[in-house]
Structure formats: C-alpha cells, structure tokens
Amino acid sequence: MGDMKFNMKIDKKTANYFQKKMPHKLTEAKKRAVEAMGKVWADETKTLTRDEKHLRTGLYVNSIGTLTNIKPAPGYDAVPATKDDVVHEIVDSGGKTILKIGSNVAYAGYLEKKFNLMARGLDISNERMQKVAKTQIKETLFG
C-alpha cells in the first residue's frame, strides 16, 4: 500500500518562538498531534470495516493502528490481534513528524486494494483529525 499524507502546519511565528525558547515543547506538541490524528484515522477505518461488514474474525479490524478487542461478525470465531499485527510507528526527522499506521495482517493489502478502507477512513476523518491536532498543539504549547 502506498503512503497517504496529511499535513498539519503550525503558525510560523509560533513555531519559531517555541523552536528557540522551548524546542522540546514543540517536538512534544507535534508528536501528540500526530498520535491523536492517527487514533482518529484508525478509529474511523475500524468503524468502516465493521459497518460495511468486512469484519469477520476481528483480526484485521483489531490490528489497525492500535490493539482493540472488537467482536467478530456473528457466526465467526474471534482471532485476537497481537502487537506484531499492528502498524504504529512514529518518527520525528528533518522537522517532520511521521506516523506509519495500518495493519500488518497478511490480507490487509488485499482489503485496501479492494475496498480502500484506510484511504476512505482518512477522507472521512480529515476534519476531526484537524480538530484533535489543533487541540493537542494548543494544550501542549499553551496549557
């Protein structure tokens, strides 16, 4: 699956101030914002997977971004996800904070190609992602 990008910019004047005075706060704010956005994205993708009845054993949906324990579809046995099934890696490099998020189950790529669950989850959650990111930045820098 290819990369999906979501850009969130901090006001240049604010970023410069915190970069000079408290760079650790700026790094923390970016990380918290990206983490919050990723949670919203994963949650929306899990909801799509459940609502559109792509959820069978629970393995895929319970592995998207974070470990969860959503019940499988009626008539299916639950297959619990493990940490190895989850894709959730955050890297701060070159002034960018990048979160890799998704599912590492064998058929995740197939589901994405066929149903675009992660891509549609991103589209649907875009507005909410921006709100949670702004909240995290404000609380971290000014709270």
Side-chain angles (χ1 to χ4, degrees):
M1 185 172 82
D3 293 340
M4 292 178 223
K5 295 182 181 182
F6 182 91
N7 292 314
M8 181 74 195
K9 296 191 179 202
I10 298 173
D11 172 72
K12 197 172 197 170
K13 193 174 182 180
T14 302
N16 286 339
Y17 171 81
F18 280 98
Q19 189 63 47
K20 290 177 185 174
K21 303 283 185 182
M22 293 180 270
H24 66 283
K25 278 249 194 199
L26 187 58
T27 301
E28 181 185 348
K30 290 190 310 180
K31 184 177 180 187
R32 287 182 61 191
V34 170
E35 287 278 3
M37 290 171 21
K39 181 154 179 39
V40 169
W41 183 6
D43 287 350
E44 191 59 53
T45 304
K46 289 173 190 253
T47 300
L48 274 174
T49 303
R50 183 197 64 219
D51 291 354
E52 293 182 359
K53 303 196 185 330
H54 302 293
L55 170 65
R56 296 290 186 259
T57 65
L59 175 59
Y60 173 71
V61 76
N62 288 321
S63 70
I64 301 170
T66 57
L67 282 175
T68 51
N69 191 20
I70 297 170
K71 295 184 191 238
Y76 289 87
D77 291 330
V79 177
T82 68
K83 288 183 181 186
D84 290 338
D85 295 322
V86 175
V87 175
H88 186 98
E89 177 187 339
I90 193 161
V91 177
D92 194 15
S93 176
K96 292 182 181 180
T97 304
I98 300 167
L99 174 66
K100 291 182 181 181
I101 193 167
S103 172
N104 197 34
V105 300
Y107 53 90
Y110 166 80
L111 288 175
E112 187 60 29
K113 285 178 186 171
K114 188 166 182 173
F115 302 109
N116 292 328
L117 296 164
M118 292 292 295
R120 288 188 298 135
L122 180 61
D123 286 344
I124 292 166
S125 61
N126 189 326
E127 189 176 315
R128 200 167 128 225
M129 288 171 68
Q130 289 182 40
K131 286 179 184 178
V132 299
K134 287 177 185 177
T135 299
Q136 291 300 319
I137 290 169
K138 285 179 185 176
E139 285 179 5
T140 306
L141 297 180
F142 306 110

